[in-house]
Amino acid sequence: MKFSGITASATALMVGVSSAAVTGVTGKPEGFASSTTGGGDTAAVYPSTTDELVSYLGDDSARVIVLTKTFDFTGTEGTTTSTGCAPWGTGAGCQTAIDKDDWCENYEPDAPSVSSITYDAAGTLGITVGSDKSLVGDGSSGIIKGKGLRIVNGAQNVIIQNVQISDINPEYVWGGDAITLDGTDNVWIDHVTTSNIARQHIVLGTEASGNVTISNSYIDGSGDYSATCDGHQYWALYFDGSDDQITFKNNYIYQTSGRAPKVQSNTLLHAVNNYWNDNSGHAFEIGEGGYVLAEGNVFENVEAPLEASSFAGELFTADSGSACSSALRRSCEANSLSDSGTFSESDTDFLSKFSGAVIATASAASEVKSYVTSNAGIGKLSQ
Ligand SMILES: *[C@@H]1O[C@H](CO)[C@@H](O)[C@H](O)[C@H]1NC(C)=O
């Protein structure tokens, strides 16, 4: 074993990293983003510096960008010092909020103020991603630290696969999001790991983000700081919008405490075959205009699979009737819950919104936990 390992790395050195590394995306998206092609079959580029990565992601060319190492943005834009507040307490595990745009005065006027917070400036705004890009990690080496990605303002046809985004000011709310979509069409996020994030792991903003698939990804909410002060990230997935369609399949949502996801404002979400584990608050928060079909999912140790007090949208938990057969042209799979609260809603009117769409397949919930835990996140893709 040892001898063959040495041989493999010696070969990689001799031929150079670009020949040894992957050259593009593996597989195809299921569901709403199924026509997404990213950078297509253009020749891959292999950035070596953070500046080069920013330039490839933001330019006007179709590109396949392969990451073969860690790109650490921490410190690249210096630090910022500002005031803040502590709405969730001052205990060791509590996040503190940066007073961004007078957020403390406007939303948490009674919270104790914090006179000085110093945070990393690069984390607060993600890297701009242009249209027709594939960003692909090689093996388990494609890591972006200290800065997220922003697919916004009309950028479309983007694939992010087998990449980890981590360590974005985790102590400070408003210190940055991992992946932001806002005003986009056709985005596939696959085999992505997000961890130690200040705010949202994945956020779809108020503009339309159409035809999105998020699959095989690991939303790791564990860490030293959270708004619930218990090592469970409260800000996980925020699906706002105005005309958004999201397929959310085979993802692992671990150790969160809220907004996992929050769904509202004309957002249609097909949540299928995901695994929620160890949630100390709520998973789904569904506001007005949030339309959710949840089938074949597994909830284990989830305090509230649905936050009942704020439920104002529509949810079908696939546990009754023939509604799926007429809307999806197949039957739906039941969800599975253990050591969890209740999850049973039967709104079916909105299922007509799936008409004409490419709909992801569903497996039985009994197969989900083992599949997802061995498949979700970075480094689990056979390239
Ligand atoms: C999603 O794709 C469909 C089919 O191509 C297209 O008609 C629609 O405009 C897209 N949605 C958004 C919000 O871009």
Side-chain angles (χ1 to χ4, degrees):
M1 284 304 282
K2 190 169 186 204
F3 181 72
S4 68
I6 288 167
T7 307
S9 50
T11 309
L13 278 174
M14 282 188 302
V15 298
V17 81
S18 59
S19 330
V22 297
T23 55
V25 167
T26 302
K28 287 196 159 47
E30 252 197 287
F32 285 118
S34 57
S35 54
T36 305
T37 54
D41 54 9
T42 49
V45 292
Y46 301 83
S48 57
T49 64
T50 54
D51 282 352
E52 230 179 328
L53 174 59
V54 168
S55 157
Y56 284 144
L57 283 171
D59 70 14
D60 291 332
S61 305
R63 288 199 183 279
V64 174
I65 305 162
V66 176
L67 306 182
T68 58
K69 53 172 236 179
T70 297
F71 292 81
D72 190 353
F73 286 82
T74 315
T76 56
E77 296 171 32
T79 57
T80 304
T81 299
S82 79
T83 57
C85 56
W88 309 288
T90 52
C94 298
Q95 281 190 306
T96 305
I98 296 164
D99 194 15
K100 184 189 176 217
D101 303 330
D102 292 330
W103 185 82
C104 295
E105 291 78 356
N106 292 335
Y107 295 98
E108 296 287 349
D110 301 328
S113 58
V114 176
S115 58
S116 174
I117 293 174
T118 298
Y119 54 95
D120 195 74
T124 56
L125 194 66
I127 307 164
T128 301
V129 180
S131 295
D132 307 319
K133 309 283 185 184
S134 299
L135 178 67
V136 181
D138 183 27
S140 51
S141 64
I143 296 172
I144 302 176
K145 282 179 81 167
K147 201 171 183 69
L149 299 168
R150 278 168 64 79
I151 308 160
V152 301
N153 298 331
Q156 49 183 293
N157 192 31
V158 173
I159 297 173
I160 304 169
Q161 184 176 60
N162 197 33
V163 169
Q164 174 175 309
I165 300 173
S166 62
D167 304 290
I168 302 178
N169 290 313
E171 195 173 348
Y172 302 116
V173 168
W174 301 117
D177 305 307
I179 300 179
T180 303
L181 274 59
D182 197 26
T184 66
D185 189 19
N186 281 315
V187 176
W188 183 29
I189 298 168
D190 183 59
H191 282 96
V192 166
T193 294
T194 51
S195 66
N196 284 315
I197 306 299
R199 187 76 172 172
Q200 310 297 339
H201 284 232
I202 302 178
V203 54
L204 274 57
T206 53
E207 300 293 316
S209 301
N211 304 305
V212 173
T213 295
I214 302 169
S215 52
N216 305 303
S217 290
Y218 177 28
I219 309 302
D220 178 6
S222 68
D224 292 338
Y225 305 99
S226 73
T228 40
C229 309
D230 64 349
H232 293 62
Q233 177 77 336
Y234 182 86
W235 330 100
L237 302 158
Y238 192 174
F239 301 151
D240 206 334
S242 55
D243 181 14
D244 296 20
Q245 308 85 34
I246 308 161
T247 298
F248 190 75
K249 181 170 178 181
N250 285 333
N251 301 293
Y252 183 19
I253 305 95
Y254 176 62
Q255 217 161 311
T256 57
S257 61
R259 297 189 173 182
K262 179 172 180 174
V263 189
Q264 63 184 21
S265 304
N266 198 13
T267 294
L268 177 63
L269 173 65
H270 184 197
V272 49
N273 292 155
N274 303 288
Y275 176 43
W276 277 263
N277 181 19
D278 187 6
N279 179 312
S280 62
H282 63 263
F284 284 91
E285 177 181 348
I286 305 176
E288 205 174 327
Y291 306 106
V292 181
L293 166 60
E295 57 160 336
N297 300 289
V298 174
F299 298 86
E300 209 173 271
N301 284 302
V302 175
E303 184 71 24
L306 172 68
E307 191 187 49
S309 62
S310 66
F311 179 47
E314 295 185 26
L315 170 64
F316 185 57
T317 50
D319 38 20
S320 63
S322 59
C324 281
S325 334
S326 48
L328 272 61
R329 303 172 300 278
R330 63 164 172 78
S331 52
C332 282
E333 295 291 342
N335 299 295
S336 158
L337 294 102
S338 59
D339 299 316
S340 297
T342 53
F343 191 61
S344 180
E345 297 289 335
S346 52
D347 301 313
T348 53
D349 287 354
F350 76 93
L351 292 175
S352 60
K353 293 177 182 293
F354 284 98
S355 153
V358 177
I359 295 165
T361 58
S363 304
S366 56
E367 295 169 24
V368 167
K369 179 177 172 177
S370 63
Y371 181 78
V372 167
T373 50
S374 59
N375 191 58
I378 188 176
K380 306 284 184 71
L381 183 66
S382 325
Q383 292 173 307

